[in-house]
Amino acid sequence: MRIVVLTGAGISAESGVPTFRDADGLWEGHRIEDVATPEAYEAQPTAVQRFYDDRRKSLAGVEPNPAHVALARLEEVLGEDLFLVTQNIDDLHERGGSQQVAHMHGELLKAWCRSCDGRVPWTGELADFPPCPRCGVSELRPDVVWFGEIPYGMDEIQRRLLRADLFVSVGTSGAVYPAAGFVQLAASCGAKTLELNLEPSEGTHFFSEARHGRAGDLVPVWVDEVLRSYGF
Ligand code: APR
Ligand code: ZN
């Protein structure tokens, strides 16, 4: 069985990473368009860098939860037959044990040099515009995909969706495309589709099954079901 799992901010919520679309519609007190667009970066580079510096720093204080760990367990058994794609820029899937993670919206722990186009691991700050370790030019920005930019790895993601037997969406509001459209693509190619989310997402009616609750409860239960079908 080929499975594609898409995760969003909801899977990291129980780890203490705030989601984007909370009741107040703000991301950590900021309007998303003030921090997550190329225009915001052009207008206020230091403020945008500080915002991501703070997010990067806060990763040190959070831990993966049972949902991340369960998906790593699933990968151990399914190997290449599991494709995990996340909209999250945190590293909690990796720290939960997942080996292969497609970060379609980039990663907080990487910096992208606009001068040499290199990508480098980054754990420190960027707001003081340090030189790129590869080319020496001070043009590093967070390696995250902002609104108006093209998500990473779309060719591979699409290929995996086209041949999936099961598509599972975990902890995402279904408000942001292209990820919000994955369910329809997978379903149109014959995959079963399952939503695991705290509440019905915007696209909940596109799923053949939906379970609502906390990811830390729902994901381990679902993974156990799959592993049992494999004889574990
Ligand atoms: N368990 C499961 N789901 C949860 C939990 C939880 N403990 N807590 C919250 N959720 C659900 C919420 O109900 C909501 O539907 O997770 C979803 C989170 O939605 P968003 O905050 O919109 O996050 P996401 O869907 O990942 O956002 C997509 O938008 O701003 C951009 O680039 C950013 O990757 C992000 C994209
Ligand atoms: Zn460079």
Side-chain angles (χ1 to χ4, degrees):
M1 181 157 65
R2 291 179 178 141
I3 302 179
V4 174
V5 176
L6 167 71
T7 64
I11 197 170
S12 296
E14 289 154 66
S15 294
V17 182
T19 58
F20 298 93
R21 288 166 191 80
D22 288 335
D24 61 2
L26 298 179
W27 182 15
E28 304 257 303
H30 295 71
R31 296 189 316 158
I32 290 177
E33 54 272 34
D34 290 342
V35 290
T37 61
E39 293 76 17
Y41 185 63
E42 291 309 323
Q44 293 196 300
T46 307
V48 171
Q49 295 280 27
R50 278 215 192 93
F51 177 78
Y52 286 94
D53 283 351
D54 288 346
R55 306 280 78 70
R56 195 178 302 108
K57 216 180 301 170
S58 69
L59 286 185
V62 300
E63 296 291 336
N65 67 57
H68 298 102
V69 173
L71 290 176
R73 221 156 32 93
L74 188 61
E75 182 188 36
E76 268 175 37
V77 175
L78 263 65
E80 283 289 300
D81 285 339
L82 174 70
F83 185 70
L84 175 59
V85 49
T86 186
Q87 300 168 89
N88 299 342
I89 58 177
D90 65 51
D91 63 340
L92 292 178
H93 281 304
E94 285 84 353
R95 283 201 267 147
S98 289
Q99 307 281 325
Q100 300 286 337
V101 186
H103 279 274
M104 64 181 290
H105 290 169
E107 293 172 69
L108 264 178
L109 295 178
K110 282 187 186 161
W112 171 32
C113 176
R114 299 205 297 177
S115 177
C116 71
D117 197 30
R119 289 182 161 82
V120 288
W122 204 266
T123 53
E125 305 200 336
L126 290 172
D128 51 351
F129 293 93
C132 168
R134 289 164 48 117
C135 72
V137 178
S138 293
E139 280 283 3
L140 293 170
R141 58 163 264 191
D143 188 16
V144 300
V145 176
W146 287 326
F147 282 92
E149 298 180 327
I150 298 169
Y152 295 150
M154 285 307 297
D155 288 352
E156 167 81 349
I157 294 169
Q158 210 156 36
R159 260 198 308 278
R160 296 294 197 134
L161 289 168
L162 293 178
R163 55 193 184 88
D165 300 303
L166 175 63
F167 170 75
V168 185
S169 173
V170 182
T172 175
S173 59
V176 176
Y177 282 82
F182 291 174
V183 56
Q184 284 161 284
L185 183 58
S188 72
C189 297
K192 285 191 179 167
T193 55
L194 170 64
E195 166 166 288
L196 304 176
N197 204 49
L198 193 59
E199 59 198 0
S201 73
E202 290 187 19
T204 193
H205 51 283
F206 293 122
F207 289 85
S208 37
E209 185 187 347
R211 302 180 189 175
H212 297 131
R214 288 152 45 106
D217 300 325
L218 296 179
V219 177
V221 168
W222 169 70
V223 166
D224 280 344
E225 287 170 16
V226 176
L227 294 184
R228 261 201 305 279
S229 75
Y230 276 76
F232 285 88

